[in-house]
Structures are given as structure tokens and as C-alpha cells.
Amino acid sequence: MSKVITAKNLKLGYKNEDIIIDASFSIKTGEFIFLTGASGSGKTTILKHLYGELKPKDGFLQIGNFDMNKISHSKLLYLRRFIGIVFQDYKLIKDWTIEKNVKLPLIIAGIKEEKAQKKVDKLLAKVKLTHKAENYPYELSGGEQQRAAVIRAIINEPVMILADEPTGNLDDFSAKVVMDLFTFANQLGITVVIATHHLPKDFSIPYRNIHIEGKKLYELS
Amino acid sequence: MNYLKNHLSLILALVSILFSIEVYFIFNKIVTNYSQKIANNYNIIIVSNKPIKNLNLKTISQIDPINIESSLQNLKQNLQGFDIKKLKSELPYFYKLHFSKFPTPNEIEELTMQLKKIPSIKKIETFRANQNRIYNLLILTKTISIIFMAIILFISFLLILKQMEVWKLEHNERMYIMDLFGAPFLLKSGVLLRLAIIDSIISVIIIGIVITFILNSNLYQNILNQLGITINVNILIDLSLFFSISIIVSIISTIIVIFSKKSKN
């Protein structure tokens, strides 16, 4: 399996603060990764570097074939078309319907309307949101919004999904539904990286757990 | 209502900009036209010992001899034994000098100096006091129109800045989310660009209606009649110019919003 992410001696953080130091790891295509750690340990910071919102302070970080230290804005936009991102606060566009929100990656990819609509309908049906297709995000519950956000991340079959505390705001039932969606995505061959406080109970598929503690990364068995 | 609010600030600013420019254009045309009219009526009188055919002075468009025949005939009727032939032979030559454009006080001064250098010219009457007063009035009118335009442009600029702040708040999150999924510039900024173009079109339509109303109003026509001038305003050319100006202003504002968002991220 080819490597999706390669990190060597990474130092990550903000101007006056180092959050992660001397981190080396690699993630292969189709792997399921849980990135765990306490609040403020640096899970979100790592994800921000993986989708290029921040650049590493030091070390080497490669996503696909792109060196994240040197990547230009236009190349970053191109790279992001192969990454699905899910946030704890859903980040759905407020004045767009759920259907249009889910369709966003297909619009960006320039997929024809008819084909895009079929894909949207199929996934909305899968997460039981067909009846909410024309609704706006504020008309949906948190669990429903997160389901919409996850299928938006999956819809264009990205190489990798990055999820930042995707079940943090959800009840147990909704959290289970969302985790099932990530499992479904992984079974399609998509690499999934989920940042979370705790590992989910009864998780059925093989996964790796990278844990952050004291600014360092540890692989837990 | 929200849609109207979204548009109103930019439309108001654009209409103000276009209106102030149009007012400046109209004022400028009135002043230029009126200056030309005064220039046609204004002339200098010179008295010369010798006949003058050409002075070779660039500000002078025409030299007309003054016909003194009627004045002499009047004298002849009033004075007994008046020898008109003898008087005619002793009288100097009188000329009116016409200008190609309305001269400035400096140009009059310069011309007077040049005329004084010609030995045959004995007397020059410039009617300078009257001319200065009219000239200053025209300059004042022009200056007021420029100051008016500058103030409106400044206020409109502040309005646009304020609208840009509103746009930033309203569209930042949407553009950020689209950015996360790799949306290209045009797709990301499509909503704002569409807003900008729609607002430009609405502004040009509003200003077109306002100008047509003003140009056809009795007040405007009365002012032109009193000044004795006619102004040709080609509304289609002006509106095309205004459309270009409003598109440029609104698109620049949009691009500033988009790029300020990008740098913030």
C-alpha cells in the first residue's frame, strides 16, 4: 500500500508556541487512524497541518506527492479536492440547503449536474436524510447535520478523510451512525484519520491509534 | 428584507459616486459652454494710428474694425458746420479683438503687454474689472462642483468600506468552507461577484432614471434658458461610462474582501 502521509521530525505549532515536537509517522492508503489525546494536546493542530491550513515549523510533511512545507495555494486547493474534512461544528454553509451542501465537492470537481444529483440522492437516502434535502442546516438536529457533513466529505470518494472530534457534540446513537459512515468510507478504500478524546466502544474494523502526550506522538497497540 | 439590506449599502454608495461624477460632468459642460458664450461676446477694443490687418497673437481669433460712421452721422446732425471728411481723416482706427476662448486674467495681462509693444496702438480697453468678476465666478462654480464631487466620493468610499466589512462577516465562513474543499477562486467568490455585478446594474439604472428626470426637469431647462446655452448630454455614453466605473469599483471591493479573507486564514 502506498503512503498517503509521511512525516519526519515534525515540529508543529503557532508563532510562539510549539504544540508537537519531533513527530515521525506514516499513514498508508486505506488505513483507519484514531488520533487521541487530551484537550489541547494538539490533535486539531495536526489535522490543520494535514489539510494545509498551517505549515510545519520544522521537519518534513508530505501528503500524497505534495511537500506541505513548500506547497503553493493553487496546489493546496487541488490537494484539498482529494481530502474530505469533517468538523465537530459541522461547518455546513448556512444559506445553502442540505442537498447543495452535500453536493459542494462535486460542484468543485466539475461533475455534471445529473450525475452529481444521483450521487447526492443515493447518499442522502443512505443516511436517511432524503426528506431533509431541501432544508437548511439550522432546521436539522446536530446528529443530522453531522451525517450531512460526513456524506459531504465522502461523496467525491476522496483519498483521505480528516475528522476533528466528529462525534463530540452528538448523543450515543448519532455518534454510532456517524462512526458507521466512517467505517463505510474506509471500506471503500478511503484513508480515515479521526481526532478524538476517546476511542469508540465496539469498533469492529482494524485501526491504528496514534496518541499525543507531552507534545510527542506514540503509536498505541 | 435581508437581501435588500445586502444590496442597499453598495447601491447607495455606487449611486452617490455616479451621481457626483454626472453632476461634475454637467457643471463642467455648463461652465465650458457659458465660457464660450461669454468669450464670443467679450472683446478688447484697441485704437491704432495705422490700419491693422493681422496681429499674429494666438489668443485672438478675429479682428473687426469698428464702424464709426453712424456716430459721425449723429455728430453731423447735432453740430452745424461739422466737416465729417476732415474729422474722418484725422481720427485713428478702432478695432474689436475677439477671443478663441474665454481668457484668464493672466492671459489678458499678457495680451495687454504684447499690444503695448506695437507702436501704432495708442489705446487699449480691456474692461478687465468686469471680465475678472465673471471669470472668478466661473472658477468658483467649477471649484464648488469639484469639491462637491470629492466630498461625495469620499463619503461613498467610506460607505463601500463599511459594506465590505459587512460582506466579510457574511461571506467569510462560506468562502472558508469552500476553500477547505478546494474551491477555485471564481467559484468561491461567485456569490460576491454576482452581487457586485447586480448592484452595478441596479445603480446604473437608478442613475439613468435620475439623470433623465433632472435633464427633463423645468428647473434645469429654466437655468439653461436663463444662461442662454444648450447642453448636449449623451446619456447612453454617460451610462456606459458609469457602468464601467461601477463594475470596476464593485469588483475591486469584492476582490479586496476575498483577498483580505485569504490573508486572514
Side-chain angles (χ1 to χ4, degrees), chain A:
Chain A
M1 277 193 289
S2 59
K3 286 177 183 171
V4 182
I5 302 171
T6 306
K8 284 177 190 162
N9 308 115
L10 267 187
K11 188 199 273 185
L12 311 177
Y14 304 92
K15 241 181 190 177
N16 302 317
E17 192 185 5
D18 295 338
I19 305 290
I20 303 290
I21 51 170
D22 200 25
S24 297
F25 61 94
S26 63
I27 294 173
K28 291 174 188 160
T29 308
E31 282 193 304
F32 201 114
I33 309 290
F34 283 108
L35 192 60
T36 55
S39 286
S41 59
K43 301 186 292 294
T44 301
T45 305
I46 291 180
L47 290 186
K48 279 183 177 176
H49 283 82
L50 296 184
Y51 61 78
E53 186 160 323
L54 296 173
K55 285 195 173 178
K57 290 177 89 172
D58 201 6
F60 174 74
L61 176 63
Q62 185 171 310
I63 312 287
N65 294 321
F66 295 98
D67 181 346
M68 298 305 279
N69 299 64
K70 295 173 185 167
I71 194 165
S72 65
H73 187 73
S74 58
K75 281 184 179 167
L76 180 62
L77 289 181
Y78 177 75
L79 171 65
R80 283 177 177 174
R81 289 171 206 167
F82 299 94
I83 301 174
I85 310 174
V86 180
F87 293 91
Q88 186 175 7
D89 61 354
Y90 329 125
K91 294 227 183 307
L92 295 169
I93 297 172
K94 285 172 193 151
D95 52 354
W96 283 14
T97 61
I98 290 300
E99 183 181 277
K100 197 174 176 189
N101 266 291
V102 172
K103 207 184 279 177
L104 175 64
L106 302 178
I107 296 170
I108 292 168
I111 306 290
K112 281 186 179 170
E113 172 60 26
E114 200 181 335
K115 194 180 170 189
Q117 192 58 48
K118 271 186 187 170
K119 276 189 148 188
V120 171
D121 292 342
K122 192 177 160 189
L123 280 176
L124 282 174
K126 183 173 174 58
V127 296
K128 296 182 174 53
L129 283 177
T130 304
H131 64 296
K132 302 272 185 175
E134 295 302 319
N135 288 63
Y136 289 91
Y138 64 87
E139 296 171 314
L140 275 66
S141 70
E144 288 172 328
Q145 288 190 57
Q146 194 60 300
R147 271 143 61 194
V150 176
I151 61 170
R152 178 181 64 180
I154 293 171
I155 198 161
N156 202 30
E157 292 159 30
V159 172
M160 173 169 66
I161 291 176
L162 304 173
D164 191 4
E165 302 276 9
T167 56
N169 284 344
L170 308 181
D171 57 57
D172 287 348
F173 174 75
S174 297
K176 169 96 175 58
V177 174
V178 166
M179 286 312 295
D180 287 346
L181 280 172
F182 286 124
T183 307
F184 165 72
N186 187 241
Q187 283 164 348
L188 294 174
I190 300 169
T191 307
V192 179
V193 180
I194 296 178
T196 180
H197 284 292
H198 306 291
L199 291 173
K201 296 164 198 166
D202 309 324
F203 196 66
S204 56
I205 61 167
Y207 64 88
R208 280 170 63 197
N209 179 198
I210 297 174
H211 187 72
I212 310 167
E213 201 169 318
K215 299 186 179 179
K216 294 213 167 189
L217 301 189
Y218 302 92
E219 180 101 25
L220 300 182
S221 54

Side-chain angles (χ1 to χ4, degrees), chain B:
Chain B
M1 197 64 197
N2 215 15
Y3 181 81
L4 255 182
K5 262 191 207 167
N6 267 343
H7 288 262
L8 212 58
S9 298
L10 185 64
I11 290 173
L12 197 67
L14 287 174
V15 166
S16 310
I17 289 173
L18 301 183
F19 183 71
S20 63
I21 293 172
E22 180 62 19
V23 166
Y24 172 74
F25 280 171
I26 291 175
F27 260 71
N28 209 29
K29 277 179 186 166
I30 289 174
V31 169
T32 310
N33 206 310
Y34 191 61
S35 303
Q36 194 56 51
K37 191 191 169 208
I38 297 170
N40 293 341
N41 294 334
Y42 175 72
N43 43 56
I44 284 180
I45 290 174
I46 55 171
V47 181
S48 171
N49 286 339
K50 290 177 185 172
I52 296 172
K53 281 186 182 169
N54 195 355
L55 283 169
N56 280 333
L57 297 169
K58 61 177 178 179
T59 46
I60 302 301
S61 63
Q62 199 181 324
I63 304 168
D64 285 339
I66 296 174
N67 189 355
I68 54 167
E69 197 61 43
S70 60
S71 306
L72 292 177
Q73 288 302 332
N74 280 342
L75 279 174
K76 191 180 174 184
Q77 282 169 10
N78 296 332
L79 301 170
Q80 290 292 323
F82 182 73
D83 187 352
I84 197 163
K85 275 186 184 172
K86 191 182 173 198
L87 182 63
K88 242 178 164 179
S89 66
E90 285 173 8
L91 273 176
Y93 300 90
F94 297 89
Y95 295 96
K96 271 185 190 174
L97 307 185
H98 296 276
F99 292 86
S100 50
K101 67 174 186 64
F102 194 62
T104 65
N106 283 343
E107 283 169 339
I108 297 272
E109 185 74 31
E110 201 177 310
L111 181 68
T112 309
M113 300 295 284
Q114 285 170 330
L115 290 172
K116 277 180 179 170
K117 284 178 189 166
I118 300 170
S120 62
I121 293 176
K122 296 292 167 201
K123 175 96 180 137
I124 304 159
E125 181 51 72
T126 60
F127 310 102
R128 190 184 294 178
N130 194 31
Q131 193 273 346
N132 277 357
R133 202 163 53 243
I134 295 167
Y135 181 80
N136 289 337
L137 193 68
L138 289 177
I139 290 295
L140 180 71
T141 313
K142 222 171 177 173
T143 310
I144 287 172
S145 73
I146 290 170
I147 291 170
F148 170 75
M149 185 174 75
I151 291 171
I152 299 272
L153 286 180
F154 179 69
I155 293 169
S156 307
F157 178 68
L158 293 182
L159 266 175
I160 288 175
L161 282 183
K162 190 176 170 292
Q163 182 57 26
M164 280 162 57
E165 286 300 316
V166 175
W167 275 5
K168 262 193 221 177
L169 289 173
E170 282 179 357
H171 299 279
N172 245 2
E173 195 185 2
R174 183 181 45 75
M175 289 198 286
Y176 174 65
I177 294 168
M178 293 177 92
D179 208 51
L180 287 175
F181 285 88
F185 176 82
L186 272 179
L187 185 64
K188 209 166 45 187
S189 53
V191 174
L192 281 179
L193 288 172
R194 204 163 54 236
L195 269 177
I197 291 168
I198 290 171
D199 287 1
S200 302
I201 293 169
I202 294 172
S203 308
V204 171
I205 291 170
I206 291 173
I207 207 72
I209 293 167
V210 171
I211 293 168
T212 310
F213 176 76
I214 291 174
L215 294 182
N216 291 308
S217 69
N218 286 336
L219 180 71
Y220 177 77
Q221 292 302 333
N222 284 343
I223 291 171
L224 291 192
N225 288 341
Q226 278 173 13
L227 292 174
I229 54 173
T230 49
I231 302 288
N232 292 321
V233 177
N234 191 330
I235 201 148
L236 281 180
I237 291 175
D238 283 6
L239 289 183
S240 315
L241 176 72
F242 292 160
F243 184 66
S244 313
I245 292 171
S246 57
I247 283 279
I248 289 168
V249 169
S250 51
I251 286 181
I252 286 175
S253 312
T254 310
I255 288 171
I256 290 171
V257 171
I258 293 161
F259 279 94
S260 63
K261 179 247 147 216
K262 198 165 149 182
S263 58
K264 198 181 162 188
N265 286 334

